[in-house]
């Protein structure tokens, strides 16, 4: 339990540092989060409130309305008029992410092959559509609009949810989704090269001091690497069109 808590605290600390680096222009324009965080809509809404862009891995069973679903404000016979829009056609239902895949596979032109930078030129096949959240408390009231990104690998699929702007390029969404790889890689480097996992104390203050010193050393090495490196920046101008949509 103690080791698990330390691991979660360190990764949370890394996430905060990634946010700071993002604001300085060193990262793609979205904070990557894990599936356990994305399962909590309160967590995602808190990021919205902070105007923090995110891209989160999600389970295949998460449901969404189409962004083009028609809504209306029904007229109340008595009392105040309805404040919120609800789905006009009550026969329509939201679809799970795994059902969205079946519809999108029927439109192969929407799928694009993206080359990921800094990962040995790895390529992925993805598609992205605009969707609206399902509010479990108010089932017929579509929620905020998001990007649903689906990645195909072999016979399987990965799913991501993002609040990036509607005009974001598909390549930028896909690269942002895979930026979590950098966190895992750095976590491994911190343990193997800088002794992050050598702490044997029992107090939060001691642990925090140890983590802080490890990150200071790591940031110093990153600055040296950036000074000497001649690699291109993460994002390059792309001629890809904006990610597709589906009716």
């Amino acid at each position: 339990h103690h080791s698990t808590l330390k691991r979660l605290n360190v990764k949370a600390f890394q996430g905060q540092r990634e946010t700071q680096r993002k604001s300085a222009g060193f990262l793609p324009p979205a904070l990557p989060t894990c599936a356990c965080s994305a399962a909590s809509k309160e967590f995602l809404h808190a990021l919205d409130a902070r105007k923090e862009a995110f891209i989160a891995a999600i389970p295949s069973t998460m449901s969404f309305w189409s962004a083009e679903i028609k809504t209306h404000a029904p007229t109340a016979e008595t009392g105040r008029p309805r404040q919120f829009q609800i789905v006009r056609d009550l026969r329509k239902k939201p679809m799970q992410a795994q059902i969205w895949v079946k519809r999108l596979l029927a439109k192969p032109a929407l799928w694009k092959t993206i080359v990921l930078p800094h990962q040995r030129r790895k390529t992925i096949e993805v598609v992205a559509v605009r969707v609206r959240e399902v509010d479990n408390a108010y089932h017929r009231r579509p929620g905020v609009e998001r990007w649903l990104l689906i990645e195909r690998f072999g016979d399987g699929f990965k799913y991501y949810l993002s609040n990036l702007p509607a005009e974001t390029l598909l390549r930028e969404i896909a690269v942002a989704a895979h930026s979590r790889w950098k966190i895992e890689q750095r976590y491994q480097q911190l343990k193997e090269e800088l002794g992050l996992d050598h702490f044997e104390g029992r107090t939060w203050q001691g642990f925090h001091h140890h983590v802080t010193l490890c990150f200071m050393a790591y940031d110093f090495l990153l600055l040296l690497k950036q000074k000497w490196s001649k690699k291109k920046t993460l994002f390059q101008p792309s001629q890809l069109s904006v990610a597709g949509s589906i009716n």
Side-chain angles (χ1 to χ4, degrees):
H1 175 75
H2 184 63
S3 62
T4 301
L5 181 60
K6 286 202 301 182
R7 183 168 64 253
L8 291 175
N9 285 332
V10 169
K11 290 194 175 182
F13 190 84
Q14 278 186 285
Q16 293 173 357
R17 297 307 299 269
E18 298 293 272
T19 303
Q20 294 170 356
R21 292 192 183 103
K22 183 194 70 169
S23 63
F26 294 125
L27 286 176
L31 177 67
T33 69
C34 61
C36 58
S37 299
S40 170
K41 292 182 180 178
E42 290 79 7
F43 173 75
L44 299 184
H45 293 166
L47 292 178
D48 284 329
R50 293 179 56 184
K51 297 183 179 179
E52 185 72 58
F54 66 81
I55 186 158
I58 61 171
S60 62
T61 54
M62 204 166 181
S63 296
F64 304 96
W65 297 100
S66 167
E68 290 131 12
I69 189 73
K70 293 182 179 180
T71 60
H72 73 125
T75 304
E77 296 182 359
T78 59
R80 296 180 180 179
R82 295 291 181 94
Q83 182 179 359
F84 300 100
Q85 299 275 326
I86 66 171
V87 175
R88 180 180 294 275
D89 188 349
L90 299 181
R91 296 170 298 177
K92 292 186 176 294
K93 297 180 180 180
M95 297 187 298
Q96 293 182 346
Q98 57 192 354
I99 305 301
W100 278 96
V101 168
K102 295 180 179 179
R103 296 187 64 180
L104 291 165
L105 286 174
K107 298 193 174 185
L110 295 179
W111 293 81
K112 305 293 182 182
T113 300
I114 306 295
V115 179
L116 296 177
H118 310 317
Q119 293 194 42
R120 297 181 181 179
R121 310 304 291 176
K122 177 182 177 182
T123 61
I124 56 173
E125 190 176 8
V126 293
V127 66
V129 292
R130 297 294 285 176
V131 295
R132 295 182 68 175
E133 276 190 0
V134 173
D135 191 330
N136 294 331
Y138 305 96
H139 186 65
R140 294 294 175 182
R141 185 194 301 172
V144 295
E145 195 169 313
R146 309 281 196 200
W147 277 114
L148 173 61
L149 177 73
I150 302 172
E151 176 185 345
R152 175 162 55 183
F153 59 98
D155 295 330
F157 299 91
K158 292 181 180 178
Y159 307 89
Y160 302 90
L161 189 67
S162 177
N163 65 346
L164 285 169
E167 63 272 13
T168 307
L169 298 179
L170 176 57
R171 178 178 184 272
E172 293 182 358
I173 303 173
V175 172
H178 278 262
S179 62
R180 184 173 173 80
W181 170 82
K182 296 169 63 178
I183 296 178
E184 299 295 339
Q185 184 188 49
R186 289 170 180 171
Y187 181 56
Q188 182 179 357
Q189 291 172 345
L190 279 162
K191 291 193 301 180
E192 294 179 352
E193 308 297 337
L194 296 173
L196 180 65
D197 58 346
H198 291 177
F199 178 73
E200 297 182 0
R202 292 292 182 270
T203 66
W204 165 253
Q205 186 177 20
F207 170 67
H208 188 272
H209 286 175
H210 177 73
V211 171
T212 301
L213 289 173
C214 288
F215 269 88
M216 288 175 65
Y218 188 78
D219 284 349
F220 174 72
L221 294 176
L222 276 183
L223 288 173
L224 291 180
K225 180 181 178 181
Q226 290 173 359
K227 181 179 179 180
W228 295 336
S229 176
K230 295 182 180 179
K231 291 184 178 180
K232 296 179 180 180
T233 57
L234 184 60
F235 286 107
Q236 298 294 328
S238 173
Q239 299 302 318
L240 288 176
S241 60
V242 175
S245 62
I246 185 171
N247 295 325

